[in-house]
Each structure stands twice: as structure tokens, then as C-alpha cells.
Amino acid sequence: MFKSYEDAYRRSLEDREGFWSIAAGAIHWEKKWDKVLDDSKAPIYRWFAGGRLNTCYNAIDYHVENGRKDQAAIIYDSPVTNTVRTITYGELKDEVSRFAGVLKSLGVEKGDRVVIYMPMIPEAAVSMFACARIGAIHSLVFGGFAPNELAVRIEDAKPRVVLSASCGIEPKGAIPYKPLLDKAIELSSHKPEKCVIYQRPQVKADLVPGRDIDWADALKGATPAGCVTVEATDPLYILYTSGTTGIPKGVVRDNGGHAVALKWTMKHIYGVEPGDVYWAASDVGWVVGHSYIIYAPLLYGCTTIMYEGKPVGTPDPGAFWRVISQHKVKVLFTAPTAFRAIKKEDPNGTYVGKYDISGLKYLFLAGERLDPDTYHWASDLLKLPVVDHWWQTETGWAIAANCMGIEELPIKAGSPTKPAPGYDVRILDENAQEKPNGEEGVIGIRLPLPPGCLPTLWQKDDAYIKSYLSDYPGYYATGDGGYKDKDGYIYIMGRVDDVINVAGHRLSTGGMEEVVAKHPDVAECAVVGVEDQLKGQVPVGFVVLKAGAAKGEQDIQKEVVSMVRSEIGALACLKDIMVVKRLPKTRSGKILRATMRKIADGQEFAVPSTIEDPAVLGEIGEALKAIGYPKK
Ligand code: COA
Ligand code: AMP
């Protein structure tokens, strides 16, 4: 037990190994670790080296053997298909072991990769746990990504098998997944040996003879497979995330550190107990889904909700309150965008009154900046702690949070509170020197990172070091900028690179530029993320056309929008493309994207001294004005 937040935080940094070895006592190990923190290959650190365990055993079998066999493990709530289905820990163990048997029969072995392209259905969870059970490494791809993005991930992960479903369901209707998967496999030079397809009643997918197998057929006569013990340092999964270019980064998560850290966070950050109902309203394709829909709640013996729906429109802005009351949810975790969407449709929060949500104790928000307006609206409406916490795909759990299970600190709107135990967060200048409180800089975390954070990028140690550890020696560079106030509270001011967050979805403007630049009439382009009332940020594009462009401006704009949609996915939401005569640049030719963003957001900006021609900024302002920017 910790006396206070300060006590926990100090202990986590003064005696890292002692701190995390106590946390590791909550995990079932087949063999205890030799070393809590292996720093022999620093700056690449490994937690619990020499330890052996199985993550699926810890998340499912352990609970079946310890009195939770008949407790709900997963409640699948799908307003888009009118379904509610409860799966107990006992049933989940049966389904997962049988599907693990299917994977084994297809030749999948420990260390093999399996790509999962699935909507929010229980079979996605079964797929993940089945991989973990036999030591295969899963890599989920968010269903909203287009074939090209899926292909890039297949190419890098080289899966032996792909698991998918016939469709996802969006409020506007079913989205067939199989044609997207077929196209991705066609685009990729790596070809998976087999694809197992879960046929949903809404869409029947055509199967490729010899390669594709129907999920239900595969399960017939499957021999259940047991848990394979793996090294704590073996990868559990790879999750690709957007960086500054079109090539996503394969974030690796190991088995041991991940299980230890996530189980620890359930009590200490989220303040829940085993048996409680915990709901992360996100998607399994994102890190929040991996950590807090799937692994953490089950490692801790909670009931998790898999919600296939939206905050609004399925059927109304009371959707979240209905789920909370129906399933007795104690903690809700979602993105601020979801609350902005509810607020927009139900500004007075009248729908809350229709449901009994008295069991809800905390609302946690993350994934993008929580603007003070949304914070106050949610907090006034729900009258309970609204906890902003800051994290990233790379860390897998919160870097900064108000740790409800340790000590509830006063909440300051606009701040995710203080660093979580294990994270030595510093505000740095360009020379990696710490800045005083109150001054803004880039945010670094002093190495080593705590357990559960990425040990490296998939098969790219050098790229990991180059991308994250080289610019500020001794630190992990978060890519976010911000400051600490006089009380040590952290404020996140946004990314310092080309990553943006659209409705909590992490995307690369650099990746979008690569697509836009492929248009035959585009000479050069820039894509920047601008503020959006609902989605937090949306991308806007600027294109300079080649002399004698073959098509008219409007046609080019439409084509560029549709290229981004079909190469990255609808979730990119790039809708505004402006044709301009030139882009603002420095004398050395660097495009001044940050200044363009400030103009679009209506913020004050200083004309950079290195600018080639300041008049271009006026032209950009005019182009933006013509389509209604700045919005406020
Ligand atoms: N599969 C296929 N397409 C998908 C998809 C999926 N899993 N998810 C999103 N899309 C598509 C949508 O259908 C939409 O397509 P359209 O342009 O043809 O309409 C597009 O991608 C954008 O989707 P979305 O971001 O969901 O915007 P929206 O306007 O439909 O809905 C919100 C707005 C606020 C309701 C929605 O963004 C939302 O629920 N946000 C919360 C996000 C969240 O939980 N993030 C998790 C991080 S913790
Ligand atoms: P992702 O990897 O998709 O989780 O996105 C991580 C990025 O989202 C971070 O680097 C931040 O820029 C942003 N982010 C996540 N949580 C917060 C938060 N609570 N406040 C501000 N930004 C956040």
C-alpha cells in the first residue's frame, strides 16, 4: 500500500526493481525472472528477463481456476446488430482454446505472426487470446484502414495467417471487409498461407479456395490447445502506429512487463476491484482497445464491455448511459471526442436522466487533448471525477494520470495531473536540458521506461533508437510538447511532429502528403492538422498545381480527397483541399507547416525570420478564409 501519490511515485523511481517486482507478484509465473530490469543492452531495456509465463493463462485460465468460471468476462453489446451477449470466463476459455487449436492446425507456432483485421466482435478477443495462448504474435489492424494501409502492415509483420470477418458495421451500414483484405493481400509481396474468415449474417464473404477458411468450419472438430509458456521478453503483439511518414511504426509489446504493468494499473490508476465491470469505449484496433478492452480488465478479473456502436446515433446520445446502466459499469474510459459528440446532440444532458448510472464511479478520458469546456460539461453533468490521462501507443498505459486507486489529487482542467509511477517525465530544451516549471518544451521520459512500454520496434532496434532515443540522449522522446506548472502538473500542448489526432485516431500528415503528392497534377503539397470542434483536429491540404495541369481545380480537389480516402481510409477525414499558388517556405526550402496551422486556427504567430517571402502567408490566409477558416 502507498501512503500517498508522492510516496508511490518516489518509490517507483528510487527503487524501480523493488517497486515492479512487488507488482509482478500479482502475476502467475511458470518461472521467476532472473533479473527484474536487464540493462545489459541499454538503451534497450528488458523487464523480467529470464521469467516465463503465459498472458492468456493469466487473463483467463487463472480466473477459471480461482472462482471466476461463471463470472462474465466479456459483455458484447452491439446496438448496430441489436445484440447483447455475455461470455463467462469458463466459456471464453473453451472458445479461446478451441480457436488456438485451429491456429495450431494451420501450422501457427510460437513466434509466428497473425494479422487480425476485425470489427468489435467477441471473435476479435478470441483471436487475440488464441494467439497469446500458443505464443504467436498478433498484429491488429483497425477496420477503418484502407487496403493499402493493411498491406503495409502485412508486408512488415509477415503473418502466416490472417484472421478477419466478412464485415464491420457502421451506422450507415455494413462495410464488407473481405474485398479490402483481398486487395491488401494482392498489394503485399508477402502472402499469408491461410485466412480464417468469420462470416457475419449481414454480409457473406466469398472465400478464395485453398487459402480461405470459414471460421465456423475451422472450429468443427478443433482440438483445444493449452497454454504455451513464453519468455517474459517474447513479443505478445505488434501494433502499428502512425509516425511522421507513411510507413507506420511496429510497436512491440512484450509478455511479462505488459502483464505486470497492466494488472497494476487497474487498481492503482483506475481504482477498480476484480469482479467490477470496466468499459473502454474504443476499438480493439487501437492501443486503448488492446490494453483496456482486452488485456488489463481480464488480467485483473473484471468484466469488460465490447461495444459495437457509437456515442451518438446508435440510436441516440443516451447510448453510453444505457450501456452503463444496463451492465452496471463502474468505470468508463473513452476519448474526449465521444463526449463532444454527445454534448453536441444533447447539450443539456437530458438523456442521462433516463437511466440509472449511479454505479459509475469514474470517467477516464484520453487519446487527445481534453479541452476544459468538455471537461466541465462532463464533470457538471456526471458529478464524479473526470480524469484526463495522457498516454500513447508506445507506452501502452498512462504516462500521466490522477491515480484514483492511490490518492485522488485535486483535478486541474486542461491537465492530465502528474506523472504515473514509473515515468520520470521532464520538460526539455533542444539540448536535452531540463526546463524550469512554467516553461514549455518537448516532453521526454528519462530512461528506462517502466514495464509495459515498448522495448523496441518490430525487428528494427536501430529505427527505435533513431526515432525515440537519439535526439535527447538518456530520454525517450514522446513527440509531445508541453509544460509543468508550479505544482508539477503536466500540460500537453500537442505533437511537435507530423502526427495528428482525428477523433482520437492517430494519423500522420506526412503519410497523407505522400498520397496527395501522387496526384499527377500536384507539384507540391502540405497537409496540416487544424482544430476541429468535434474531432479535436482534422487535416487540411494545400496543393500547388503543375503548370498546365490537365484537369480543373475542382476535379483535382475531389480526386485528391478520394485518393486519401481509398489509400488511408475514411477515418483520415481529409475533406478540405486548397489550391494555392505557392507554399510558405524558409530560404532553405522547408515548408512552414506550423505557421500554416496557426493561421488556420486563428492563433497569433510570428513571421519566421527565415521565411523566403512573407507575402505567401497572406495568400494562405486568404485561401483558408475562402473555406471558412479560422472556425472560431
Ligand atoms: N470501419 C470502417 N469505417 C470506419 C470505421 C471502421 N471501424 N471507423 C470509422 N470509419 C469511417 C466512418 O464510417 C466514417 O466514414 P464516412 O466519412 O464515409 O462517413 C469515417 O471513417 C470517419 O469516422 P468517424 O471518425 O467515426 O466519424 P463520424 O463522423 O462517423 O463519427 C464520432 C463521429 C465522434 C461519433 C466518432 O468519431 C467517435 O465515436 N469517436 C470516438 C473515437 C474513439 O473512441 N476513439 C478511440 C480512441 S480512445
Ligand atoms: P495514440 O498513440 O493513438 O494513443 O496517440 C498518442 C498521442 O495522443 C499522444 O502523443 C498525444 O499527442 C495524444 N494524447 C493522448 N492522450 C492525451 C491527453 N490526455 N491529452 C493530450 N493529448 C493526448
Side-chain angles (χ1 to χ4, degrees):
M1 280 303 288
F2 303 110
K3 287 193 219 96
S4 60
Y5 160 77
E6 287 303 336
D7 173 47
Y9 188 63
R10 188 182 41 75
R11 281 162 60 180
S12 76
L13 297 189
E14 282 179 6
D15 176 19
R16 288 175 197 275
E17 299 200 47
F19 185 95
W20 290 112
S21 63
I22 293 172
I27 293 294
H28 175 90
W29 298 87
E30 296 298 331
K31 173 185 170 287
K32 201 180 165 192
W33 54 89
D34 300 325
K35 219 166 167 355
V36 182
L37 177 65
D38 176 3
D39 57 4
S40 59
K41 295 203 175 76
I44 292 188
Y45 295 87
R46 306 310 308 250
W47 286 94
F48 305 107
R52 294 176 67 80
L53 76 164
N54 182 282
T55 298
C56 179
Y57 177 82
N58 273 280
I60 302 177
D61 302 50
Y62 174 85
H63 300 302
V64 172
E65 292 164 17
N66 288 277
R68 297 193 186 279
K69 181 167 170 278
D70 298 321
Q71 181 195 309
I74 297 176
I75 299 173
Y76 166 57
D77 186 308
S78 169
V80 291
T81 60
N82 268 321
T83 313
V84 174
R85 179 182 161 208
T86 298
I87 304 166
T88 65
Y89 272 95
E91 289 162 350
L92 186 61
K93 182 184 163 196
D94 285 350
E95 283 200 35
V96 167
S97 25
R98 286 203 305 135
F99 198 72
V102 169
L103 290 177
K104 274 181 80 173
S105 73
L106 298 176
V108 178
E109 290 178 8
K110 184 175 152 189
D112 283 343
R113 272 80 58 213
V114 174
V115 161
I116 303 174
Y117 187 59
M118 286 242 184
M120 280 289 289
I121 53 175
E123 287 68 22
V126 169
S127 301
M128 294 164 83
F129 283 122
C131 290
R133 195 167 186 85
I134 60 169
I137 304 166
H138 62 68
S139 186
L140 265 89
V141 181
F142 177 64
F145 276 124
N148 188 54
E149 292 287 327
L150 177 56
V152 171
R153 288 154 174 80
I154 291 177
E155 190 86 51
D156 195 67
K158 304 199 171 18
R160 175 161 276 198
V161 167
V162 174
L163 308 176
S164 188
S166 57
C167 66
I169 300 171
E170 285 290 289
K172 66 189 170 200
I175 312 240
Y177 275 17
K178 189 60 188 352
L180 307 176
L181 173 62
D182 288 344
K183 177 82 186 152
I185 294 174
E186 190 189 313
L187 290 170
S188 166
S189 65
H190 172 84
K191 309 290 177 196
E193 290 162 26
K194 298 281 176 204
C195 299
V196 185
I197 311 294
Y198 181 77
Q199 298 278 17
R200 303 188 74 181
Q202 294 78 8
V203 170
K204 186 153 173 43
D206 291 333
L207 302 185
V208 175
R211 188 195 73 186
D212 298 345
I213 306 163
D214 183 304
W215 178 287
D217 291 345
L219 271 177
K220 279 181 203 146
T223 312
C227 294
V228 171
T229 303
V230 300
E231 296 288 328
T233 51
D234 279 340
L236 169 68
Y237 69 76
I238 308 164
L239 178 57
Y240 289 89
T241 190
S242 299
T244 49
T245 68
I247 306 293
K249 294 170 169 171
V251 168
V252 170
R253 195 82 59 211
D254 63 14
N255 276 274
H258 174 254
V260 170
L262 288 198
K263 194 164 185 181
W264 184 89
T265 62
M266 289 301 284
K267 177 177 173 61
H268 296 96
I269 296 186
Y270 297 98
V272 289
E273 296 299 329
D276 284 344
V277 181
Y278 181 96
W279 178 25
S282 177
D283 188 284
V284 281
W286 304 116
V287 68
V288 173
H290 281 62
S291 292
Y292 291 105
I293 297 175
I294 303 296
Y295 286 112
L298 269 61
L299 282 164
Y300 199 52
C302 288
T303 298
T304 190
I305 309 258
M306 289 186 80
Y307 175 70
E308 190 181 31
K310 302 263 176 179
V312 292
T314 56
D316 57 38
F320 275 20
W321 322 131
R322 195 268 302 159
V323 172
I324 291 167
S325 89
Q326 188 168 340
H327 306 305
K328 303 193 171 36
V329 172
K330 183 164 172 190
V331 167
L332 168 63
F333 174 179
T334 189
T337 298
F339 266 74
R340 285 195 294 268
I342 298 170
K343 179 175 151 212
K344 194 171 162 207
E345 291 204 7
D346 181 23
N348 298 322
T350 46
Y351 279 82
V352 179
K354 300 182 184 194
Y355 301 94
D356 174 9
I357 61 160
S358 55
L360 187 69
K361 204 164 167 207
Y362 304 118
L363 166 65
F364 280 81
L365 296 168
E368 53 177 321
R369 180 170 173 267
L370 172 58
D371 53 287
D373 276 0
T374 307
Y375 164 76
H376 287 298
W377 186 80
S379 152
D380 293 348
L381 181 69
L382 301 175
K383 299 190 176 41
L384 44 83
V386 174
V387 187
D388 181 11
H389 59 331
W390 166 57
W391 52 299
Q392 332 182 294
T393 305
E394 288 85 344
T395 62
W397 60 283
I399 310 167
N402 201 333
C403 298
M404 291 294 134
I406 299 178
E407 179 192 0
E408 188 177 327
L409 297 175
I411 291 175
K412 296 193 192 187
S415 166
T417 316
K418 297 193 182 188
Y423 292 96
D424 189 354
V425 178
R426 310 283 178 106
I427 310 297
L428 305 173
D429 68 16
E430 57 281 8
N431 300 314
Q433 297 304 308
E434 202 176 345
K435 288 194 146 191
N437 284 358
E439 281 189 27
E440 200 175 320
V442 295
I443 311 183
I445 305 169
R446 228 180 139 66
L447 294 172
L449 295 170
C453 295
L454 82 171
T456 189
L457 294 176
W458 174 243
Q459 293 186 328
K460 290 191 179 94
D461 286 353
D462 290 349
Y464 168 59
I465 294 171
K466 185 164 178 287
S467 303
Y468 297 99
L469 311 183
S470 299
D471 289 350
Y472 305 91
Y475 294 91
Y476 162 85
T478 62
D480 280 308
Y483 66 94
K484 285 186 193 172
D485 72 6
K486 62 175 183 13
D487 302 320
Y489 277 57
I490 294 175
Y491 291 77
I492 308 299
M493 303 309 288
R495 298 287 304 195
V496 293
D497 55 14
D498 297 329
V499 168
I500 58 170
N501 257 284
V502 181
H505 306 324
R506 176 164 158 181
L507 296 160
S508 162
T509 52
M512 289 184 218
E513 285 180 7
E514 286 172 26
V515 177
V516 176
K518 284 191 209 161
H519 191 286
D521 286 329
V522 169
E524 55 178 349
C525 66
V527 176
V528 299
V530 305
E531 282 174 21
D532 182 79
Q533 284 281 324
L534 175 65
K535 299 192 174 183
Q537 277 186 307
V538 288
V540 298
F542 300 83
V543 294
V544 177
L545 301 184
K546 287 181 184 160
K551 296 192 173 133
E553 282 187 13
Q554 279 187 356
D555 287 338
I556 296 170
Q557 284 163 324
K558 270 196 212 138
E559 284 173 15
V560 166
V561 166
S562 104
M563 280 167 73
V564 171
R565 207 179 152 86
S566 64
E567 288 210 24
I568 295 177
L571 78 163
C573 291
L574 177 59
K575 296 197 169 126
D576 289 327
I577 297 286
M578 273 150 283
V579 176
V580 290
K581 287 202 196 70
R582 37 194 192 149
L583 295 172
K585 289 185 188 169
T586 61
R587 283 186 285 277
S588 60
K590 197 169 168 291
I591 298 173
L592 293 163
R593 293 181 179 80
T595 313
M596 294 163 80
R597 196 172 62 221
K598 285 188 177 148
I599 299 173
D601 288 343
Q603 287 176 13
E604 281 185 23
F605 63 93
V607 177
S609 57
T610 50
I611 194 165
E612 196 181 28
D613 179 0
V616 191
L617 296 179
E619 293 166 21
I620 294 291
E622 287 304 315
L624 281 161
K625 216 160 133 195
I627 58 160
Y629 287 96
K631 298 243 161 161
K632 57 177 188 205

